[in-house]
Amino acid sequence: MSGDREGPRQHWHAYAYTGRSYPDSAIRRGEVPADHPPIEIKDWLRRSTAQVAATYTGVEEAVSWIEGELTQNPPVDQEHFPVWDRLQRVRERLRLTAGNDVVLGYYSKAQQYVSRALIACPREDGDSCPYGGA
């Protein structure tokens, strides 16, 4: 990512996990498997760049990625919380202010745990971009 005089441009790194969830007891002990979603959102950026599914600089392209993921892995509760409503919330969250993350975690109709995350970068807390830079 190239920066300008004001620093690196705001962007979001997309992360995807589909599989088993881990028990609350493992979370309390801090024993989260490395290939599972991290407990703290900011820790996504500390993962290997191989875990970055994509990087987006625009809200609509990021929302489009989430839409594709929700379509491929339909939530078990989509009758009560339709995909369109979820997408509106994602869009509002990303547009609200720079630096907002979106993290979705749900069970799919295929009975798998699905985690999709759009993690804002760069971060105000000083964590660096997985691809270098500030």
Side-chain angles (χ1 to χ4, degrees):
M1 279 275 133
S2 63
D4 56 18
R5 288 182 295 163
E6 297 174 14
R9 183 176 177 197
Q10 173 71 55
H11 55 279
W12 294 273
H13 297 293
Y15 295 89
Y17 170 82
T18 304
R20 294 174 43 120
S21 63
Y22 41 82
D24 287 342
S25 60
I27 294 170
R28 284 191 295 277
R29 291 188 309 268
E31 300 171 357
V32 178
D35 62 337
H36 283 58
I39 294 171
E40 290 192 50
I41 293 171
K42 67 179 183 168
D43 289 342
W44 277 115
L45 296 179
R46 295 184 178 138
R47 298 288 175 96
S48 159
T49 56
Q51 291 187 4
V52 177
T55 298
Y56 301 104
T57 56
V59 169
E60 288 308 314
E61 62 183 346
V63 172
S64 183
W65 177 75
I66 290 285
E67 181 176 20
E69 296 298 309
L70 287 167
T71 301
Q72 290 175 17
N73 301 284
V76 72
D77 66 344
Q78 76 178 4
E79 292 80 25
H80 302 289
F81 189 13
V83 169
W84 186 88
D85 288 343
R86 293 172 203 250
L87 293 174
Q88 287 303 103
R89 289 179 187 221
V90 168
R91 185 175 286 110
E92 289 169 11
R93 177 81 180 156
L94 294 179
R95 286 187 174 158
L96 188 60
T97 4
N100 280 334
D101 305 306
V102 169
V103 178
L104 303 178
Y106 62 91
Y107 284 93
S108 69
K109 288 187 174 188
Q111 301 301 310
Q112 291 195 304
Y113 180 71
V114 177
S115 174
R116 297 298 182 263
L118 290 166
I119 306 301
C121 187
R123 303 204 60 90
E124 289 184 11
D125 59 11
D127 281 344
S128 62
C129 180
Y131 293 104

